[in-house]
Amino acid sequence: MRPHHIVTARFSSGCRPGRGTPDERERGAVTVETAVVMPALVLLLAVMLAAAAAGMTLVRFEEAARASARAAARGESVAVAQDRAREIAGEDSAVTVAAGADRVTVTVSGPAPGILGTWSHWTLQADAMAVTEGARNADAGH
């Protein structure tokens, strides 16, 4: 008589026949996680790029305000000083020139570029002040 052999099958990791291997199930989970995280990463990148663009725009506004204040302090007209600022800051910027007895103050402002300006209506502003030529000459004479 021949002995009978009993064959048993065991499935590790709780895997059942027809359900896929553990690697296949994990691959699906990674796909779902990526699909959830990817829009957040894209949004974060867009905000970071917009913040960098806002920083560069603010530097342009500061340079425009300084150049305009120097021009107004030398005795140029308000229109010429505003044109000088818009050449640097861009045509859509707002330029205000306030002249006092011995100094000129220029303010350049405009919307933040990109999604920051669109979503938040964030306005960037830079101010510069310069002493007028007449005030310097009066101080030098005393």
Side-chain angles (χ1 to χ4, degrees):
M1 198 171 201
R2 297 179 77 184
H4 293 282
H5 295 294
I6 299 176
V7 178
T8 59
R10 294 182 188 227
F11 299 102
S12 61
S13 303
C15 184
R16 294 183 187 159
R19 300 262 179 146
T21 64
D23 289 340
E24 291 172 348
R25 286 186 317 221
E26 289 176 15
R27 189 174 21 212
V30 170
T31 302
V32 170
E33 290 169 358
T34 303
V36 170
V37 172
M38 191 60 70
L41 291 176
V42 170
L43 179 63
L44 178 65
L45 178 64
V47 170
M48 288 174 52
L49 290 174
M56 293 183 338
T57 301
L58 187 58
V59 169
R60 269 193 8 244
F61 285 1
E62 290 171 351
E63 178 58 32
R66 284 193 298 268
S68 180
R70 284 192 303 267
R74 285 192 310 265
E76 300 286 344
S77 69
V78 170
V80 170
Q82 288 175 332
D83 287 343
R84 177 77 44 93
R86 286 194 182 97
E87 287 173 6
I88 298 169
E91 291 299 320
D92 61 339
S93 60
V95 181
T96 305
V97 179
D102 60 346
R103 70 190 70 217
V104 176
T105 303
V106 177
T107 302
V108 178
S109 62
I115 62 172
L116 291 180
T118 304
W119 287 353
S120 67
H121 304 290
W122 186 18
T123 301
L124 303 175
Q125 178 176 323
D127 302 309
M129 188 271 305
V131 177
T132 61
E133 290 289 330
R136 278 192 227 137
N137 292 338
D139 287 344
H142 290 354

